[in-house]
Short mmCIF file of all heavy atoms in Angstrom, two decimals:
data_model
loop_
_atom_site.label_atom_id
_atom_site.label_comp_id
_atom_site.label_asym_id
_atom_site.label_seq_id
_atom_site.Cartn_x
_atom_site.Cartn_y
_atom_site.Cartn_z
N ARG A 738 -26.04 116.24 -53.30
CA ARG A 738 -25.34 114.99 -53.00
C ARG A 738 -23.92 114.91 -53.49
O ARG A 738 -23.07 114.55 -52.75
CB ARG A 738 -26.25 113.83 -53.42
CG ARG A 738 -25.83 112.51 -52.89
CD ARG A 738 -26.85 111.42 -53.33
NE ARG A 738 -26.90 111.10 -54.76
CZ ARG A 738 -26.14 110.10 -55.29
NH1 ARG A 738 -25.38 109.38 -54.45
NH2 ARG A 738 -26.11 109.87 -56.55
N ASP A 741 -19.62 118.10 -56.62
CA ASP A 741 -18.33 118.21 -57.47
C ASP A 741 -18.46 117.41 -58.69
O ASP A 741 -17.57 117.44 -59.60
CB ASP A 741 -17.18 117.73 -56.58
CG ASP A 741 -17.42 116.38 -55.91
OD1 ASP A 741 -18.53 116.10 -55.70
OD2 ASP A 741 -16.43 115.64 -55.55
N ARG A 742 -19.49 116.54 -58.83
CA ARG A 742 -19.56 115.74 -59.99
C ARG A 742 -20.82 115.93 -60.89
O ARG A 742 -21.03 115.23 -61.85
CB ARG A 742 -19.50 114.24 -59.53
CG ARG A 742 -18.20 113.84 -59.10
CD ARG A 742 -17.97 112.34 -58.97
NE ARG A 742 -18.77 111.79 -58.02
CZ ARG A 742 -19.62 110.75 -58.22
NH1 ARG A 742 -19.72 110.17 -59.44
NH2 ARG A 742 -20.37 110.28 -57.32
N ASP A 776 -23.22 108.84 -61.83
CA ASP A 776 -22.87 108.11 -60.59
C ASP A 776 -21.65 107.31 -60.76
O ASP A 776 -20.74 107.22 -60.04
CB ASP A 776 -23.99 107.45 -59.94
CG ASP A 776 -24.50 108.02 -58.62
OD1 ASP A 776 -23.83 108.96 -58.18
OD2 ASP A 776 -25.36 107.47 -58.06
N LEU A 806 -23.43 104.29 -72.54
CA LEU A 806 -24.16 103.07 -72.49
C LEU A 806 -23.32 101.93 -72.33
O LEU A 806 -23.65 100.89 -71.65
CB LEU A 806 -25.01 102.94 -73.78
CG LEU A 806 -26.00 104.12 -74.07
CD1 LEU A 806 -26.70 103.97 -75.34
CD2 LEU A 806 -26.98 104.24 -72.94
N SER A 811 -25.26 96.73 -65.39
CA SER A 811 -26.55 96.09 -65.74
C SER A 811 -27.61 96.71 -64.80
O SER A 811 -27.31 97.53 -63.96
CB SER A 811 -26.52 94.61 -65.50
OG SER A 811 -25.86 94.38 -64.31
N GLY A 814 -32.94 99.53 -67.40
CA GLY A 814 -34.14 98.94 -68.20
C GLY A 814 -35.46 98.90 -67.45
O GLY A 814 -36.45 99.14 -68.01
N ARG A 821 -41.99 103.14 -70.91
CA ARG A 821 -42.58 102.74 -72.30
C ARG A 821 -44.00 102.25 -72.18
O ARG A 821 -44.89 102.66 -73.02
CB ARG A 821 -41.85 101.52 -72.85
CG ARG A 821 -40.85 101.84 -73.90
CD ARG A 821 -39.90 100.71 -74.15
NE ARG A 821 -38.88 101.26 -75.02
CZ ARG A 821 -38.83 101.17 -76.32
NH1 ARG A 821 -39.77 100.50 -76.98
NH2 ARG A 821 -37.94 101.77 -77.06
N GLN A 835 -36.34 106.70 -77.20
CA GLN A 835 -35.11 106.17 -77.80
C GLN A 835 -34.02 106.51 -76.84
O GLN A 835 -33.99 107.43 -76.18
CB GLN A 835 -34.75 106.93 -79.16
CG GLN A 835 -35.49 106.53 -80.35
CD GLN A 835 -34.99 107.40 -81.50
OE1 GLN A 835 -34.90 108.52 -81.37
NE2 GLN A 835 -34.56 106.70 -82.51
N ASP B 1209 -18.24 108.98 -52.06
CA ASP B 1209 -18.28 109.86 -53.23
C ASP B 1209 -19.27 111.12 -52.86
O ASP B 1209 -19.32 111.98 -53.61
CB ASP B 1209 -18.78 109.23 -54.45
CG ASP B 1209 -20.05 108.41 -54.23
OD1 ASP B 1209 -20.34 107.93 -53.24
OD2 ASP B 1209 -20.86 108.36 -55.22
N GLU B 1210 -20.01 111.02 -51.78
CA GLU B 1210 -20.92 112.03 -51.34
C GLU B 1210 -20.32 112.93 -50.30
O GLU B 1210 -20.20 112.42 -49.13
CB GLU B 1210 -22.23 111.48 -50.98
CG GLU B 1210 -22.82 110.67 -52.17
CD GLU B 1210 -24.21 110.17 -51.86
OE1 GLU B 1210 -24.86 110.87 -51.11
OE2 GLU B 1210 -24.54 109.09 -52.36
N PRO B 1211 -20.05 114.14 -50.53
CA PRO B 1211 -19.39 115.00 -49.55
C PRO B 1211 -20.18 115.11 -48.27
O PRO B 1211 -19.62 115.14 -47.08
CB PRO B 1211 -19.24 116.39 -50.24
CG PRO B 1211 -19.46 116.15 -51.62
CD PRO B 1211 -20.16 114.90 -51.85
N ARG B 1235 -12.67 110.68 -52.58
CA ARG B 1235 -14.00 110.81 -53.31
C ARG B 1235 -14.34 109.46 -54.12
O ARG B 1235 -15.43 109.28 -54.61
CB ARG B 1235 -14.07 111.94 -54.34
CG ARG B 1235 -14.00 113.25 -53.58
CD ARG B 1235 -13.96 114.36 -54.57
NE ARG B 1235 -12.98 114.19 -55.58
CZ ARG B 1235 -12.92 114.73 -56.71
NH1 ARG B 1235 -13.87 115.50 -57.11
NH2 ARG B 1235 -11.82 114.55 -57.59
N PRO B 1259 -17.76 105.58 -57.48
CA PRO B 1259 -17.50 105.46 -58.93
C PRO B 1259 -16.15 105.02 -59.27
O PRO B 1259 -15.25 105.29 -58.43
CB PRO B 1259 -17.74 106.99 -59.43
CG PRO B 1259 -17.48 107.85 -58.19
CD PRO B 1259 -17.98 106.93 -57.05
N GLU B 1342 -26.36 92.17 -59.01
CA GLU B 1342 -26.88 93.21 -59.90
C GLU B 1342 -27.22 92.52 -61.32
O GLU B 1342 -27.72 93.17 -62.15
CB GLU B 1342 -25.78 94.20 -60.23
CG GLU B 1342 -25.70 95.15 -59.05
CD GLU B 1342 -24.41 95.90 -59.05
OE1 GLU B 1342 -23.71 95.87 -60.06
OE2 GLU B 1342 -24.03 96.63 -58.06
N TRP B 1349 -32.54 95.15 -72.59
CA TRP B 1349 -32.09 95.96 -73.72
C TRP B 1349 -30.93 95.25 -74.41
O TRP B 1349 -30.14 94.61 -73.67
CB TRP B 1349 -31.61 97.35 -73.30
CG TRP B 1349 -32.63 98.08 -72.50
CD1 TRP B 1349 -32.96 98.00 -71.24
CD2 TRP B 1349 -33.49 99.02 -73.17
NE1 TRP B 1349 -33.96 98.95 -71.02
CE2 TRP B 1349 -34.33 99.57 -72.18
CE3 TRP B 1349 -33.63 99.52 -74.43
CZ2 TRP B 1349 -35.24 100.61 -72.40
CZ3 TRP B 1349 -34.63 100.52 -74.66
CH2 TRP B 1349 -35.48 100.97 -73.57
N ARG B 1359 -26.98 101.71 -80.22
CA ARG B 1359 -28.37 101.78 -80.08
C ARG B 1359 -28.89 100.91 -79.07
O ARG B 1359 -28.38 99.68 -79.00
CB ARG B 1359 -29.05 101.61 -81.44
CG ARG B 1359 -30.42 101.94 -81.53
CD ARG B 1359 -30.94 101.73 -82.97
NE ARG B 1359 -31.40 102.90 -83.57
CZ ARG B 1359 -32.52 103.55 -83.13
NH1 ARG B 1359 -33.22 103.18 -82.21
NH2 ARG B 1359 -32.99 104.62 -83.79
N ASP B 1365 -39.14 94.90 -78.47
CA ASP B 1365 -39.19 95.33 -79.93
C ASP B 1365 -38.52 94.26 -80.73
O ASP B 1365 -38.42 94.50 -81.97
CB ASP B 1365 -38.51 96.60 -80.05
CG ASP B 1365 -39.34 97.78 -79.44
OD1 ASP B 1365 -40.57 97.59 -79.20
OD2 ASP B 1365 -38.79 98.88 -79.25
#
Side-chain angles (χ1 to χ4, degrees):
Chain A
R738 190 171 74 90
D741 49 338
R742 290 196 292 127
D776 248 358
L806 302 176
S811 51
R821 256 165 192 263
Q835 278 182 309
Chain B
D1209 56 326
E1210 302 183 29
R1235 295 179 304 163
E1342 288 166 7
W1349 300 85
R1359 197 174 235 294
D1365 288 344

